[in-house]
Amino acid sequence: MSQQDQHYIDQVINGDTKAFSVLVDRYKHMVYTLAIKILKNKEEAEEVSQDVFVKAYRALQTFKGDSKFSTWLYKIAYYRSLDELKKQKRSLNTSSIDGEKEYHLPSIESGLDQLEINERKQTIKNAIDALPEDDAVVITLHYFEELSLKEIAEVMNLEANTVKVRLFRSRKRLAVILQDKLEPEILGNYGRK
Amino acid sequence: MEENKELDNFIRKSIKEVGLEKPSLDFNDLVLSQLQKSTEKNTIFEHKPLLSKPVWFGIITTVIVIFAYALLGNPEIENIWFSISKLNQLTSFNLSGSVPNVEIPHTFVYGFLIFTFFVVLQVYMVKQRIDKRYDLR
């Protein structure tokens, strides 16, 4: 993947703007998702994502290939989104969810299984959206993009160990939120038994 | 530990099921049009020197050659069109005697100063306006 990226990066540097379109196509969903997780607003996320690609295009000469192109791009997306928050005088939400609250995974799973596919997807999506911004970013990068702890640490400018702890907590928080959202289904399930 | 592994698998499965958010359909076009705009902007405002490097080189070489020839070549030039006697006339030239004495009224001076002030102000304001119009940011 990285080698393929380099091929298009070289083409863009040699003046072929259209080759950049391939890179945009490849990463726009992830960049947009990261922006939405932080900004929690579709229009703003769209604008910021476009800006991320424009910035990346201009700075492409400085991309040395030490890291993956995707990691480099996600770092731009993460910091551009934080800038946008700052511009609006908003700040990252720290967790308001009790990380110590217990959850019961089989109940959550069976609760989700009760739902229709679309409803299930929406419930999970709502739960991720309810996470604090940084937690949602860590979860998305790790579970969707399968980035290693080291790569996530690079994107967010953190220590790998800090990412590990954050990932552990985010996972637990997500389970607790899901459990709260699924409470009626879980209770209904128990009721039938 | 086992519980962690289970939760890990569950979250992975759930996140993959939800998928990523989708930006607008014309996302690529919008990005590319912004790129085009920014490259156009760069070409419009690209600094091009009035005299290119070869021209500068030519000018400097010509000047050095002329000076070198004048100083070292010891050319004998007979100055027939500008004699010393004519130069002396310049030093004895009296400007004040040849210009008629004109009285400038105060109202004209004030008017002229105010007029100048407004011309300068207008130049400044028009410049601001034009800068704003062509500012593509």
Side-chain angles (χ1 to χ4, degrees), chain B residues 42-73:
Chain B
N42 285 345
T43 44
I44 290 169
F45 295 103
E46 200 180 346
H47 172 70
K48 273 188 186 163
L50 202 58
L51 298 174
S52 62
K53 275 184 185 166
V55 175
W56 269 118
F57 184 73
I59 292 171
I60 292 167
T61 320
T62 315
V63 170
I64 290 173
V65 167
I66 290 172
F67 270 84
Y69 179 67
L71 293 171
L72 307 171

Side-chain angles (χ1 to χ4, degrees), chain A:
Chain A
M1 176 68 94
S2 189
Q3 235 170 2
Q4 281 176 2
D5 284 348
Q6 195 55 52
H7 167 71
Y8 290 107
I9 291 165
D10 292 341
Q11 278 192 327
V12 176
I13 290 173
N14 291 330
D16 183 5
T17 314
K18 289 209 171 106
F20 194 65
S21 180
V22 179
L23 296 171
V24 174
D25 246 344
R26 200 169 275 174
Y27 295 110
K28 64 181 175 187
H29 293 98
M30 193 62 196
V31 167
Y32 179 65
T33 305
L34 288 179
I36 258 193
K37 298 292 172 230
I38 297 172
L39 296 163
K40 315 266 186 206
N41 177 301
K42 285 188 175 184
E43 285 77 27
E44 285 169 14
E46 172 98 15
E47 208 174 295
V48 164
S49 310
Q50 286 170 19
D51 201 37
V52 167
F53 284 105
V54 174
K55 267 186 194 307
Y57 177 83
R58 286 189 192 146
L60 211 54
Q61 300 265 12
T62 64
F63 173 67
K64 293 188 180 69
D66 299 337
S67 60
K68 281 198 279 185
F69 174 70
S70 55
T71 315
W72 181 75
L73 191 66
Y74 300 155
K75 190 170 186 165
I76 299 177
Y78 180 68
Y79 279 97
R80 178 64 189 83
S81 304
L82 290 188
D83 276 351
E84 188 63 26
L85 272 190
K86 208 169 162 188
K87 217 192 275 175
Q88 297 172 11
K89 300 201 166 91
R90 283 155 62 192
S91 56
L92 279 183
N93 279 332
T94 44
S95 173
S96 55
I97 301 123
D98 183 8
E100 296 308 309
K101 199 174 162 185
E102 286 308 311
Y103 63 91
H104 187 241
L105 191 58
S107 308
I108 298 170
E109 283 183 304
S110 70
L112 278 174
D113 287 342
Q114 308 269 316
L115 303 173
E116 297 274 324
I117 297 176
N118 284 337
E119 210 183 336
R120 189 167 67 217
K121 279 186 188 174
Q122 195 55 48
T123 309
I124 299 169
K125 200 167 164 293
N126 291 344
I128 301 168
D129 289 344
L131 279 173
E133 292 87 344
D134 262 1
D135 286 0
V137 169
V138 168
I139 290 267
T140 312
L141 286 175
H142 185 70
Y143 289 107
F144 199 91
E145 197 61 11
E146 305 272 356
L147 287 196
S148 66
L149 296 178
K150 203 176 147 209
E151 284 167 328
I152 299 174
E154 204 183 317
V155 171
M156 301 175 81
N157 207 16
L158 294 170
E159 291 290 319
N161 267 338
T162 316
V163 175
K164 195 176 174 185
V165 173
R166 192 165 282 178
L167 186 64
F168 176 80
R169 283 191 194 149
S170 311
R171 212 157 42 197
K172 210 171 164 192
R173 269 180 203 141
L174 186 59
V176 171
I177 298 171
L178 262 175
Q179 183 167 270
D180 287 349
K181 288 200 184 292
L182 288 166
E183 206 80 74
E185 277 78 16
I186 293 169
L187 288 174
N189 198 20
Y190 282 137
R192 271 191 286 277
K193 276 183 181 172

